[in-house]
Amino acid sequence: MADEEKADNSHFVAESGWGHDLFGSGDNYKENTILSEFGWNIPAESSGGVCGCDGGFLDLSRIQSDLAPDDYASSVPDRSDDVTMSRSGVEKIEVEEKVSTASVSVSIPSVSSSSSEDKPEKSTASAVSSAANLPMDTASKTKKKGQKRIRQPRFAFVTKSEVDHLEDGYRWRKYGQKAVKNSPFPRSYYRCTNSKCMVKKRVERSSEDPSVVITTYEGQHCHHSIGFPRNGETTATVFARHLIMNSNTNTSPTNPPPLLYDSTRSSLSSSHPQQIHNLKSHYKEDQEHHVQVINGEGLLGDIVPPRMRNNG
DNA sequence: CGACTTTGACCGGCGC
DNA sequence: GCGCCGGTCAAAGTCG
């Protein structure tokens, strides 16, 4: 837990359906959510919100109920959460607006019918055939890679922490590490140790603000956490609750509590409006940092779907 | 000895 | 078509 205690300033950035974990699910989400637990009031219109990001608050519970993981994966444009795509998409972002409002952002991806993952895998046949020309071990590897890779919904936490790998109640196995372009810090890839659980997460440290750790989750746990045995908790729930508790119990000018950011309105949501004002005035520089970091690293592409970026 | 990390190679998508 | 880059694999190494 020492790791978690070092996280002193956490921000939640949800991408896609996973955000619901923060807010509970089903009809009781208002009563049961973490946010309400801590006195955060989501406007009533949120219950009729739009996951397509056309306006209004985000109906996270609805997304969960309407979109099973598989359905979601097939309905969300693959490129909406693809880093590669974000390299171009980032340029379209109205950074100033983000700067003025968000140190915390919660976003839901646009949902459309197109997905590159659903498109016929044009490379499947070629991959298999080409594998025949490769050494045995490589060929078998290629065969696996020839399968469709289903992208799961993602969300990211932006956290100020001394440690890269924040304890979130689940066990993770590191399966890769890559150098990140324009960053001295590598990006680490983790997979849930539960063999039946396909959840992944990646952790990278901001190049511009080394104190900032960006943790991106992908997928949804099919089992309970080990450290936080509440029924039905998922990574998002556990992690977010911890982060919220952490910052709420240690709120200070340098440690603002997380806020709900409605990217469709470019506004912050909080039970204490003055808090927003104070945070904006006190932490504008810090917020700029976050935005720039996300923007510069291209991670925003993982966090904010293209449609949302365009709509502001 | 099992679980986990490290690390180089590989794959696929995308921009030029 | 080529190169870049993010993401993944899996063998080898490390740890408890």
Side-chain angles (χ1 to χ4, degrees):
Chain A
M1 289 307 156
D3 288 357
E4 298 176 66
E5 289 167 357
K6 292 180 181 177
D8 59 4
N9 182 11
S10 307
H11 307 290
F12 176 63
V13 182
E15 189 209 349
S16 67
W18 265 45
H20 65 256
D21 286 327
L22 255 184
F23 308 87
S25 61
D27 296 333
N28 295 328
Y29 79 98
K30 286 183 181 176
E31 288 78 11
N32 298 337
T33 64
I34 297 166
L35 293 178
S36 62
E37 199 173 305
F38 291 97
W40 295 358
N41 295 321
I42 300 177
E45 57 266 35
S46 67
S47 62
V50 179
C51 63
C53 312
D54 295 320
F57 266 80
L58 309 167
D59 186 0
L60 300 163
S61 62
R62 180 182 165 191
I63 292 168
Q64 180 188 36
S65 59
D66 288 352
L67 297 172
D70 288 345
D71 293 334
Y72 192 86
S74 63
S75 61
V76 175
D78 178 58
R79 299 269 62 82
S80 71
D81 60 3
D82 190 292
V83 175
T84 303
M85 181 60 174
S86 72
R87 285 207 299 272
S88 59
V90 159
E91 297 176 0
K92 301 176 183 176
I93 297 169
E94 297 177 5
V95 176
E96 290 304 320
E97 187 171 38
K98 299 287 184 182
V99 168
S100 65
T101 56
S103 63
V104 180
S105 71
V106 176
S107 62
I108 302 299
S110 57
V111 176
S112 73
S113 58
S114 66
S115 169
S116 64
E117 296 296 342
D118 290 334
K119 294 172 184 173
E121 188 74 9
K122 66 177 182 180
S123 61
T124 300
S126 61
V128 172
S129 62
S130 64
N133 298 326
L134 297 171
M136 184 79 86
D137 57 336
T138 308
S140 62
K141 183 191 299 183
T142 305
K143 185 178 181 180
K144 281 187 178 180
K145 288 182 179 178
Q147 298 174 348
K148 278 189 180 179
R149 188 166 65 94
I150 305 298
R151 277 200 189 280
Q152 296 293 318
R154 292 181 182 177
F155 69 86
F157 288 97
V158 181
T159 307
K160 280 197 172 182
S161 174
E162 297 176 14
V163 295
D164 291 347
H165 195 187
L166 298 168
E167 180 60 53
D168 59 8
Y170 289 91
R171 299 185 67 183
W172 301 91
R173 173 177 298 177
K174 190 175 185 177
Y175 67 89
Q177 178 171 306
K178 288 284 291 185
V180 179
K181 189 184 179 186
N182 297 326
S183 174
F185 306 105
R187 173 182 297 162
S188 297
Y189 299 88
Y190 297 88
R191 178 175 294 144
C192 184
T193 56
N194 188 319
S195 59
K196 296 178 181 177
C197 184
M198 298 305 293
V199 176
K200 300 170 195 168
K201 78 173 180 179
R202 65 184 195 209
V203 178
E204 62 184 295
R205 190 166 286 277
S206 164
S207 60
E208 297 192 18
D209 185 352
S211 66
V212 169
V213 174
I214 303 170
T215 306
T216 305
Y217 290 87
E218 178 177 340
Q220 189 164 9
H221 290 285
C222 59
H223 58 99
H224 294 163
S225 63
I226 59 174
F228 304 83
R230 280 189 187 182
N231 288 341
E233 282 197 323
T234 65
T235 299
T237 318
V238 173
F239 194 30
R241 175 162 53 79
H242 175 79
L243 298 181
I244 292 166
M245 289 179 69
N246 195 327
S247 52
N248 269 18
T249 55
N250 189 26
T251 300
S252 69
T254 55
N255 186 28
L259 300 173
L260 175 63
Y261 173 61
D262 177 10
S263 56
T264 65
R265 294 179 174 180
S266 294
S267 62
L268 288 167
S269 173
S270 171
S271 56
H272 305 292
Q274 185 62 33
Q275 178 187 53
I276 298 174
H277 177 269
N278 292 341
L279 288 174
K280 283 184 179 178
S281 59
H282 282 294
Y283 302 111
K284 184 178 181 182
E285 184 174 341
D286 197 36
Q287 291 167 11
E288 286 174 349
H289 243 139
H290 288 305
V291 172
Q292 289 170 2
V293 166
I294 292 170
N295 184 21
E297 297 304 320
L299 189 61
L300 192 57
D302 290 346
I303 298 165
V304 183
R307 276 180 59 185
M308 292 187 72
R309 296 183 221 144
N310 294 333
N311 293 342

